């Protein structure tokens, strides 16, 4: 069977942790929905109940909340070969606190909650895959929280550049500042300083 580029990308992501037979691959792909999001459009807004777990096959999205003053606090950027969504809202069916907005024209594959449950019944090894995915997500969240407490803004920027070299040039300085947790003006000074080193 020949797979689309987007299907090959998601299957290669899955193959890092579990193996699938040809029939299992076909079954899994049949449960996915193709989704397109234009640049600056919302995939999801606060108050929505997350309907899908998303895998990005093309583009870039930012996941963020707004504080009491309406200022954004970006928790992650998601590009090709990344998973995104609001796992808590997806699992509990409670409204999300997050916005997910495309910063580039983006294409995703989504699995609905009904198909997610069906997947576990029909191909139980996917429970292992999603357990590993969620564990890695939790570890990343804990590290990011610790870095927010223990590292300076400059150190957080250097760490971001090292960890996400493919993302740093695809996002605006304003969004980068909202991720690091500083003003765009201070971000500009840090970038100038780091680039001189």
């Amino acid at each position: 069977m020949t797979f689309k580029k987007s299907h090959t990308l998601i299957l290669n992501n899955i193959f890092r942790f579990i193996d699938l037979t040809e029939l299992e691959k076909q079954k899994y792909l049949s449960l996915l929905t193709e989704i397109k999001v234009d640049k600056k459009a919302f995939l999801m807004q606060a108050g929505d109940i997350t309907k899908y777990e998303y895998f990005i096959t093309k583009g870039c999205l930012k996941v963020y909340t707004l504080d009491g003053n309406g200022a954004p606090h970006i928790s992650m950027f998601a590009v090709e070969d990344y998973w995104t969504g609001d796992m808590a809202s997806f699992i509990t069916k409670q409204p999300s606190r997050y916005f997910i907005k495309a910063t580039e024209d983006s294409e995703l594959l989504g699995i609905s909650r009904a198909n997610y449950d069906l997947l576990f019944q029909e191909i139980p090894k996917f429970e292992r895959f999603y357990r590993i995915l969620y564990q890695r997500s939790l570890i990343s969240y804990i590290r990011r929280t610790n870095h927010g407490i223990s590292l300076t803004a400059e150190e957080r920027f250097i760490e971001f550049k090292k960890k996400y070299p493919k993302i740093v040039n695809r996002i605006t300085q304003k969004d980068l500042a909202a991720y690091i947790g500083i003003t765009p003006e201070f971000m500009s000074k840090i970038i100038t300083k780091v680039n001189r080193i």
Side-chain angles (χ1 to χ4, degrees):
M1 181 178 182
T2 325
F3 296 110
K4 290 191 219 179
K5 186 179 175 186
S6 60
H7 289 168
T8 301
L9 190 63
I10 197 169
L11 288 173
N12 286 341
N13 185 280
I14 289 163
F15 295 158
R16 292 177 202 157
F17 307 113
I18 60 172
D19 292 318
L20 298 174
T21 66
E22 285 303 314
L23 280 176
E24 288 170 339
K25 288 178 199 174
Q26 290 173 36
K27 178 62 184 177
Y28 176 67
L29 294 175
S30 75
L31 297 176
L32 301 176
T33 301
E34 293 184 347
I35 300 161
K36 290 189 176 188
V37 191
D38 293 332
K39 182 178 180 176
K40 297 187 179 179
F42 287 97
L43 177 66
M44 189 179 89
Q45 297 194 54
D48 294 347
I49 293 172
T50 305
K51 292 184 172 60
Y52 295 93
E53 278 283 290
Y54 301 100
F55 179 80
I56 294 87
T57 59
K58 180 185 171 191
C60 181
L61 300 101
K62 61 182 176 183
V63 181
Y64 65 97
T65 56
L66 296 175
D67 66 20
N69 297 319
H73 296 272
I74 297 175
S75 55
M76 78 175 286
F77 297 99
V79 295
E80 298 83 6
D81 203 29
Y82 278 56
W83 292 85
T84 195
D86 180 350
M87 182 178 46
S89 174
F90 183 73
I91 299 296
T92 65
K93 299 180 183 174
Q94 296 296 310
S96 177
R97 295 178 49 244
Y98 293 94
F99 295 86
I100 303 180
K101 188 174 186 179
T103 61
E104 299 173 359
D105 289 341
S106 300
E107 296 175 8
L108 306 91
L109 294 171
I111 186 162
S112 69
R113 181 58 198 271
N115 283 349
Y116 176 85
D117 292 338
L118 181 64
L119 179 64
F120 289 172
Q121 289 170 21
E122 300 207 358
I123 313 175
K125 64 179 87 170
F126 267 97
E127 289 196 8
R128 178 174 191 274
F129 172 74
Y130 280 100
R131 174 179 54 79
I132 293 168
L133 194 67
Y134 296 152
Q135 284 173 340
R136 291 165 68 95
S137 177
L138 179 61
I139 289 165
S140 180
Y141 173 77
I142 291 168
R143 282 187 182 147
R144 178 156 155 66
T145 303
N146 286 339
H147 286 170
I149 296 165
S150 60
L151 300 181
T152 66
E154 184 178 321
E155 289 167 333
R156 290 197 301 276
F157 171 61
I158 292 167
E159 184 73 20
F160 182 84
K161 275 184 71 167
K162 267 194 240 170
K163 190 170 179 186
Y164 305 111
K166 292 179 182 175
I167 298 177
V168 75
N169 294 322
R170 294 173 67 177
I171 57 176
T172 66
Q173 196 168 290
K174 185 177 177 184
D175 281 347
L176 182 56
Y179 178 86
I180 301 289
I182 57 177
T183 65
E185 295 75 23
F186 190 38
M187 187 77 253
S188 181
K189 288 176 185 173
I190 288 174
I191 290 170
T192 303
K193 181 181 176 187
V194 170
N195 288 341
R196 271 202 235 110
I197 298 170

